[in-house]
Amino acid sequence: MALFEVFQTTFFLTLLSLRTYQSEVLAEHLPLTPVSLNVSTNSAHQSLHLQWTVQNLPYHQELKMVFQIQISRIETSNVIWVGNYSTTVKWNQVLHWSWESELPLECATHFVRIKSAVDDARFHEPNFWSNWSSWEEVNGKETGTERLKKSCKATTPLSVQDSLGQDILFVFPKDKLVEEGANVTICYVSRNIQNNVSCYWEGKQIYGEQLDPHVSVFHLSSVPFIRKTGADMYCEVSQGSVSKGIKGIVLFVSKVLEEPKDFSCETQDFKTLHCTWDPGVDTALGWSKQPSQSYTLFESFSGEKKLCTHKNWCNWQITQDSQETYNLTLIAENYLRKRSVNILFNLTHRVYPMNPFSVNFENVNATNAKMTWKVHSMKKDFTYLCQIELYGEGKMMQQYNVSIKVNGEYFLSELEPATEYMAQVRCADASHFRKWSQWSGQNFTTLEAAPSEAPDVWRNVNSEPGSHIVTLFWKPLSKWHAKGKILFYSVVVENLDKPSRPELHSVPAPAKSTKLTLDQRSYRIWVTASNSVGTSPASVIVISADPENQEVEEERIADTEGGFSLSWKPQPGDVVGYVVDWCDHPQYTLCDLQWKNVGPNATSTVISTDAFRPGVRYNFRIYGLSTKRIACLLEKKTGYSQELAPSDNPHVLVDKLTSHSFTLSWKYYSTESQPGFIQGYHVYLKSKARQCHPRFEKAILSDGSECCKYKIDNPEEKALIVDNLKPKSFYEFFVTPFTSAGEGPNATFTKVTTPDEHSSMLIYILLPMFFCFLLIMIVCYLKSQWIKETCYPDIPDPYKSSILSLIKFKEKPHLTIMNVSDCIPDAIEVVSKPEGTKIQFRKSLTETELTKPNYLYLLPTEKNYSGPGPFICFENLTYNQAASDSGFCGHVPVPLKLPPSQLGLMISPENVQKSLEKNYMNSLGEISAGETSLNYVSQLALPTSGDKDSLPTNPVEPPHCSEYKRQMAVPLCLASPPPTENTSLSSITLLNPGEHYR
């Protein structure tokens, strides 16, 4: 026991001595100076890294100390930064600290020193700083200081000279990476201060400040992101105007890393957590300077970590233990920054069910259907809440909610027949609702039913003599009323005045009208629509035997903003309703008739449709319907949805032009086809005098010219007399209609010149003379045949001469043209030719000079010839102009002086023919060109018996000259020229047997 007490006493004394020693050591303020200061550089981050230890620190003693660090640039006296660093220091501990420089370290030499002080709460006495450590010089290159101290004594910092090497210029920092919006300092170092250096940032010259003659610094504030491949800066060295080289750098500016947004995790099967987030902008840069930001999931309760391979989602495997609460942290990181976001949740509250499947429809009819579907199994006793939506015609019709375990079904009712529907379903956790699953749906169509409503029917009646042309129109039933596809329309016509079997007309769909021809009796018409299931109720309309009242006065109406406002007087008696009809396109043949049904108590309505167009006249008819369904025309309305100016001008005619007036008329101008109600006309008149006539007023046209204007307020007045004009004056006029919207289009003026006053008198004289002359010409034309026969008779045709009947046609039976060789002449007349022409007929005759007309009578040789008798011989002057000019045609009988023997010789037909042919052929050779012609000699025809075309067998004495005159063609070469004072006419007359002269 005593030994134990001795040991305890000794221990406490030793401990007290140790504490007393420690207090004394500390109380003596032993110097705790930093030693072993070492400074290194990181060019990529442009930072200085310091490490040191503390001397005289007690063994296993921990003290809170503060260190003050001082940094100078270029010179130790140029302190650029002073700061304190506090930490707990252990015995023999190596301390570390870093400082990032704004200026690239390669551009200047830096100096660092440090001192320390105790900052522990166990010491209440004031702190005392230690002495400064020696300055540590820092160069841009680790080996720069030693190398420069040995080889160079220049005033420029050794590190700078060393960094330049053999180049004349260098730009720092190299390939620096910064965030968008950061401030960046760039410098260049030039070997020769005589060089001129110009620097450019993205092609734009920038200016900096000079640190020393060799170094200049540029400060770029809030640098923007320009491109993923970095922004360019370069400096150009030149001496005078000569470029010595270009040096530059690429500054990589990254987008700022954003904190992930909408970070969320959920499960669909309690096996996997599916986490999603919005990554924001991508901070990747080109040239592999910085990849896209990376994402990591960290669960704090389990301490597990997973690197995500996708930038916006990641899956986390759920363990099979009983962990239900998760604390997940999403960390986003790149080379410059790190950001994170955290969520804490219960697994059962993060359920996102998978989509339902196997959606089907059963027992579908016209109004009902049964919908079934399936869901994926989850953990035990999991309940789904499912939502059903029914769509029809592109909009939602019904919505229902139902809770299920595995399979679901729902009965859909109140559906429309023959309608296509789309039903869809989605599910969620019924216990802890978080979100719905995706929709799963299917289309189905209900069956058809009979149409539920009668067609809306109207008619148009055109009366013709003895019949009515009735055109029935009906509007297609709506989808809800048709209950299916309409196949055809049935039209039943019943005669009300004459009992008969109704007529049935079937009109295939989709026709909307049909035309009926009915006599002038009353008819009742039923119209129904049919589909594959049944027939609709009937629409009934009655056509009266009496024609419609077309004498109703038409009233003009104006369109309002909502359409045409129509009103009418209420009708006495039983009226079941009113009908207003019109054409949507009245300018076309198929005008698309429209109608609107109005109740019996209404006296007004508004007609509005998108089919109405400006400038189109619309005509409305208002009918009253009686209890017998007979329509009676009550009123007519007409108007424009918007009136426009006239589309064309009238074609104006100028009538009754005098020296002092003329009349303008345009009676054929149609006002019905214009795009507005014609209210009147404007007549513009121009004259050289520029003075307006009475009733005209001055006006200025659109081109600035002046004229006179006359206004006609009556649209039916289509003529104007312009008077008080001057003779022989020049006028121009132009007529245009106008509506409430303005005048018609501009057109050219028509020119008119008034005549002279005396010219009208001359017209009054010349016109009667002209008509008289015209009347005479017409009479002459109508009596031309009579005048011709009286004054210019027809010339006999030689081819039709009866002398051809004297020719014997035995040898040439088909000869129809008379030749000299085929003719036996009965007389020859030789007319003397002018001097120089030789005529050889017979030598005895041509050698004798004739002083007067001589006739040679060739008598027949028959014994019973009684001598010459009287005859008449004349020449047709029409065939011989020379003979007609002589004014003489005749034969003077002379006594016969030749002996009978010669007469008999000459009268022989053969001799005569030969003599004629011989002399004719000789004459042809002696007549000059242009003198050959025929001289026709007429003589009395020989009386014949029987056929006149045959030769007479018993010739008799010819009668008097009233007989038909036969003609004989004699060559002109055998005729003598016309008689003159010095010449005489010689004629040779050949007579047939039995002829005589007198």
Side-chain angles (χ1 to χ4, degrees):
M1 187 67 182
L3 181 61
F4 176 75
E5 292 178 355
V6 172
F7 177 77
Q8 185 177 9
T9 304
T10 304
F11 175 76
F12 282 112
L13 290 175
T14 304
L15 180 61
L16 180 61
S17 300
L18 180 62
R19 289 185 176 181
T20 302
Y21 173 76
Q22 181 178 357
S23 299
E24 290 176 354
V25 170
L26 293 177
E28 293 177 356
H29 303 289
L30 296 177
L32 301 177
T33 305
V35 294
S36 303
L37 178 62
N38 185 23
V39 182
S40 61
T41 62
N42 186 339
S43 298
H45 293 87
Q46 294 296 317
S47 61
L48 297 177
H49 183 71
L50 283 66
Q51 61 181 17
W52 69 93
T53 59
V54 178
Q55 189 180 14
N56 300 327
L57 189 67
Y59 182 72
H60 296 302
Q61 182 72 33
E62 291 185 1
L63 291 176
K64 290 183 179 182
M65 299 184 66
V66 58
F67 300 91
Q68 189 175 81
I69 303 169
Q70 210 174 61
I71 300 176
S72 299
R73 181 176 293 160
I74 301 176
E75 297 176 353
T76 57
S77 60
N78 183 25
V79 178
I80 61 171
W81 189 87
V82 176
N84 293 333
Y85 169 62
S86 298
T87 184
T88 300
V89 183
K90 296 180 181 179
W91 178 78
N92 205 25
Q93 178 184 0
V94 179
L95 301 176
H96 298 271
W97 181 80
S98 295
W99 174 78
E100 185 174 352
S101 173
E102 294 181 359
L103 179 69
L105 299 177
E106 295 87 349
C107 295
T109 301
H110 290 77
F111 302 91
V112 181
R113 67 179 180 176
I114 188 172
K115 66 180 179 178
S116 62
V118 177
D119 188 21
D120 200 299
R122 291 172 294 177
F123 300 95
H124 302 288
E125 296 181 4
N127 297 329
F128 295 96
W129 290 99
S130 68
N131 296 326
W132 287 101
S133 66
S134 61
W135 287 100
E136 290 293 328
E137 183 178 351
V138 182
N139 300 313
K141 302 288 185 179
E142 293 182 357
T143 59
T145 302
E146 298 177 358
R147 188 165 57 249
L148 291 174
K149 284 181 179 180
K150 295 179 181 179
S151 60
C152 186
K153 295 183 179 180
T155 58
T156 305
L158 299 178
S159 61
V160 175
Q161 293 290 351
D162 178 62
S163 66
L164 290 175
Q166 299 300 320
D167 292 331
I168 61 174
L169 181 70
F170 218 93
V171 183
F172 299 102
K174 297 289 188 182
D175 300 334
K176 185 175 180 63
L177 175 63
V178 297
E179 275 188 339
E180 183 180 17
N183 298 327
V184 180
T185 301
I186 300 175
C187 70
Y188 74 81
V189 180
S190 175
R191 178 181 294 275
N192 191 344
I193 62 175
Q194 302 299 325
N195 292 334
N196 183 22
V197 181
S198 300
C199 294
Y200 301 88
W201 167 257
E202 283 295 316
K204 183 179 180 182
Q205 187 173 1
I206 57 176
Y207 304 93
E209 59 178 323
Q210 194 173 27
L211 290 182
D212 61 29
H214 296 272
V215 180
S216 291
V217 177
F218 303 90
H219 299 283
L220 303 179
S221 301
S222 301
V223 291
F225 172 82
I226 297 177
R227 64 184 72 89
K228 288 188 175 183
T229 56
D232 299 328
M233 177 178 175
Y234 64 92
C235 296
E236 181 180 10
V237 182
S238 61
Q239 286 185 354
S241 60
V242 179
S243 176
K244 294 297 184 178
I246 297 177
K247 291 291 183 177
I249 63 169
V250 177
L251 182 64
F252 291 91
V253 182
S254 168
K255 289 284 188 178
V256 178
L257 179 64
E258 297 178 356
E259 182 180 283
K261 301 179 182 65
D262 302 327
F263 179 46
S264 174
C265 296
E266 55 197 13
T267 182
Q268 290 186 314
D269 53 5
F270 288 97
K271 297 178 181 179
T272 303
L273 272 174
H274 181 71
C275 299
T276 59
W277 61 88
D278 179 8
V281 298
D282 189 1
T283 61
L285 295 175
W287 311 111
S288 300
K289 187 64 179 179
Q290 176 177 266
S292 297
Q293 60 266 33
S294 62
Y295 293 91
T296 304
L297 278 178
F298 174 73
E299 206 284 309
S300 61
F301 294 140
S302 63
E304 296 181 0
K305 181 183 292 186
K306 180 180 180 180
L307 180 63
C308 300
T309 58
H310 302 277
K311 65 179 183 179
N312 59 348
W313 65 272
C314 191
N315 288 333
W316 182 274
Q317 294 298 323
I318 299 175
T319 59
Q320 299 302 320
D321 54 16
S322 59
Q323 181 180 355
E324 291 187 353
T325 303
Y326 287 82
N327 185 9
L328 285 174
T329 301
L330 177 65
I331 303 170
E333 184 177 6
N334 64 6
Y335 289 167
L336 300 175
R337 191 184 294 269
K338 181 187 294 186
R339 293 183 181 274
S340 64
V341 62
N342 175 266
I343 54 173
L344 177 67
F345 59 90
N346 189 303
L347 185 62
T348 59
H349 298 174
R350 293 281 176 161
V351 178
Y352 173 51
M354 287 187 284
N355 304 338
F357 62 98
S358 298
V359 179
N360 292 307
F361 298 93
E362 302 173 357
N363 304 326
V364 179
N365 56 32
T367 57
N368 302 310
K370 180 181 178 181
M371 179 182 180
T372 63
W373 68 94
K374 296 181 180 180
V375 293
H376 296 272
S377 63
M378 301 286 279
K379 66 179 183 177
K380 187 179 180 180
D381 298 331
F382 187 84
T383 303
Y384 284 98
L385 174 66
C386 295
Q387 186 177 76
I388 302 167
E389 288 184 350
L390 181 66
Y391 285 84
E393 300 294 330
K395 60 181 180 180
M396 188 177 69
M397 311 295 294
Q398 300 174 8
Q399 188 181 68
Y400 313 97
N401 291 335
V402 60
S403 296
I404 62 172
K405 291 289 186 181
V406 179
N407 298 327
E409 65 179 32
Y410 193 82
F411 185 75
L412 302 174
S413 61
E414 298 180 359
L415 304 179
E416 291 292 334
T419 302
E420 183 178 3
Y421 290 95
M422 193 277 290
Q424 59 183 10
V425 59
R426 62 181 180 178
C427 298
D429 185 0
S431 300
H432 304 284
F433 180 85
R434 170 174 169 77
K435 63 189 299 186
W436 293 106
S437 69
Q438 296 294 323
W439 288 103
S440 295
Q442 192 73 21
N443 293 347
F444 71 97
T445 303
T446 55
L447 302 181
E448 292 187 354
S452 60
E453 186 171 320
D456 185 3
V457 179
W458 187 237
R459 91 293 180 274
N460 186 44
V461 180
N462 292 324
S463 298
E464 294 184 357
S467 65
H468 289 157
I469 306 300
V470 179
T471 304
L472 293 176
F473 300 90
W474 55 83
K475 296 178 181 179
L477 293 175
S478 66
K479 183 177 181 62
W480 309 112
H481 295 146
K483 308 295 184 183
K485 182 180 180 181
I486 300 300
L487 302 178
F488 61 91
Y489 296 89
S490 298
V491 179
V492 179
V493 181
E494 178 188 6
N495 193 329
L496 299 179
D497 296 339
K498 180 181 179 181
S500 61
R501 185 176 180 179
E503 297 180 5
L504 174 62
H505 304 270
S506 181
V507 182
K512 296 186 293 184
S513 64
T514 187
K515 185 175 291 187
L516 303 173
T517 302
L518 307 176
D519 55 20
Q520 293 182 340
R521 293 187 177 93
S522 297
Y523 287 87
R524 181 185 290 114
I525 301 175
W526 288 270
V527 180
T528 59
S530 302
N531 60 13
S532 61
V533 178
T535 302
S536 71
S539 290
V540 181
I541 194 167
V542 176
I543 305 300
S544 175
D546 299 329
E548 292 187 354
N549 180 20
Q550 301 295 338
E551 301 301 326
V552 176
E553 184 178 355
E554 189 175 67
E555 179 185 354
R556 291 185 178 182
I557 56 176
D559 179 42
T560 60
E561 294 182 359
F564 289 97
S565 180
L566 307 178
S567 61
W568 56 89
K569 297 179 181 179
Q571 298 300 308
D574 296 331
V575 177
V576 298
Y578 299 93
V579 177
V580 180
D581 69 359
W582 71 94
C583 286
D584 271 351
H585 307 286
Q587 66 272 32
Y588 302 131
T589 303
L590 300 176
C591 72
D592 191 12
L593 184 68
Q594 302 293 321
W595 66 93
K596 181 179 180 180
N597 296 305
V598 186
N601 298 324
T603 57
S604 64
T605 187
V606 176
I607 305 299
S608 178
T609 175
D610 294 336
F612 289 158
R613 294 290 180 266
V616 178
R617 179 181 291 191
Y618 296 96
N619 301 312
F620 300 90
R621 296 180 297 185
I622 302 173
Y623 292 85
L625 289 179
S626 66
T627 54
K628 296 181 179 181
R629 305 298 299 176
I630 299 176
C632 178
L633 180 62
L634 304 178
E635 295 183 18
K636 291 182 179 180
K637 312 282 186 179
T638 184
Y640 294 85
S641 60
Q642 179 183 348
E643 287 194 60
L644 302 178
S647 57
D648 57 356
N649 296 318
H651 177 65
V652 182
L653 300 177
V654 180
D655 297 331
K656 302 178 182 178
L657 178 61
T658 66
S659 57
H660 296 284
S661 66
F662 57 82
T663 301
L664 303 178
S665 63
W666 53 95
K667 60 181 179 180
Y668 299 108
Y669 182 67
S670 175
T671 59
E672 299 295 328
S673 60
Q674 296 302 316
F677 291 117
I678 300 299
Q679 298 180 355
Y681 305 91
H682 287 158
V683 180
Y684 293 94
L685 185 66
K686 288 183 179 180
S687 64
K688 292 183 179 180
R690 295 186 179 180
Q691 293 182 353
C692 293
H693 297 75
R695 301 180 300 167
F696 284 81
E697 59 182 9
K698 285 189 176 182
I700 299 178
L701 301 177
S702 58
D703 58 357
S705 60
E706 294 184 357
C707 66
C708 300
K709 181 177 75 172
Y710 179 74
K711 182 178 181 182
I712 300 176
D713 294 324
N714 182 8
E716 300 302 324
E717 184 180 343
K718 300 180 180 180
L720 175 66
I721 298 176
V722 182
D723 51 9
N724 297 322
L725 306 178
K726 296 180 180 180
K728 298 183 66 175
S729 298
F730 179 77
Y731 295 93
E732 294 179 280
F733 68 87
F734 166 54
V735 179
T736 180
F738 64 90
T739 65
S740 61
E743 292 184 342
N746 293 329
T748 57
F749 279 74
T750 303
K751 301 176 181 179
V752 176
T753 302
T754 55
D756 190 6
E757 291 181 312
H758 302 289
S759 60
S760 59
M761 299 177 61
L762 186 60
I763 291 176
Y764 294 149
I765 298 174
L766 293 179
L767 281 179
M769 295 178 62
F770 172 76
F771 285 116
C772 291
F773 178 75
L774 183 61
L775 180 61
I776 294 173
M777 293 298 294
I778 294 174
V779 172
C780 291
Y781 176 77
L782 297 176
K783 296 296 183 177
S784 59
Q785 188 64 25
W786 176 81
I787 296 174
K788 181 179 179 182
E789 293 177 354
T790 304
C791 299
Y792 304 98
D794 290 338
I795 300 170
D797 190 353
Y799 292 97
K800 298 179 181 179
S801 177
S802 61
I803 197 170
L804 293 175
S805 62
L806 301 178
I807 304 174
K808 297 180 180 180
F809 297 97
K810 293 181 178 181
E811 296 181 358
K812 300 179 180 179
H814 301 290
L815 184 63
T816 58
I817 299 176
M818 183 182 67
N819 295 323
V820 176
S821 60
D822 298 327
C823 180
I824 300 176
D826 56 357
I828 297 177
E829 177 185 9
V830 179
V831 181
S832 298
K833 297 294 291 182
E835 186 177 355
T837 301
K838 297 180 180 180
I839 301 177
Q840 297 178 359
F841 179 68
R842 288 183 62 90
K843 184 177 182 181
S844 59
L845 293 178
T846 55
E847 291 177 354
T848 305
E849 183 180 356
L850 300 178
T851 59
K852 61 180 178 178
N854 294 318
Y855 288 89
L856 176 63
Y857 294 91
L858 303 181
L859 302 177
T861 57
E862 288 76 358
K863 296 180 180 180
N864 57 355
Y865 176 69
S866 59
F871 68 95
I872 299 174
C873 178
F874 66 91
E875 184 179 6
N876 193 333
L877 303 181
T878 305
Y879 288 91
N880 189 350
Q881 186 63 34
S884 65
D885 293 340
S886 67
F888 173 81
C889 180
H891 302 275
V892 179
V894 295
L896 184 59
K897 297 180 180 181
L898 295 177
S901 59
Q902 294 180 4
L903 293 174
L905 179 62
M906 292 298 296
I907 201 171
S908 174
E910 292 79 2
N911 294 333
V912 173
Q913 183 174 353
K914 291 179 180 180
S915 176
L916 288 172
E917 289 180 356
K918 179 179 179 181
N919 288 278
Y920 174 67
M921 297 303 297
N922 292 335
S923 302
L924 288 177
E926 299 177 4
I927 298 174
S928 60
E931 296 180 355
T932 304
S933 62
L934 292 178
N935 191 23
Y936 291 87
V937 179
S938 299
Q939 62 182 5
L940 289 176
L942 293 176
T944 61
S945 61
D947 190 358
K948 70 176 182 178
D949 294 333
S950 62
L951 293 174
T953 55
N954 298 317
V956 296
E957 183 178 356
H960 294 286
C961 292
S962 60
E963 290 285 336
Y964 174 77
K965 303 176 183 62
R966 294 180 180 175
Q967 297 176 350
M968 179 180 65
V970 179
L972 189 59
C973 61
L974 301 180
S976 60
T980 61
E981 295 179 357
N982 300 324
T983 60
S984 61
L985 179 62
S986 298
S987 297
I988 300 176
T989 303
L990 304 180
L991 300 177
N992 282 332
E995 291 185 344
H996 61 280
Y997 73 96
R998 54 180 178 174

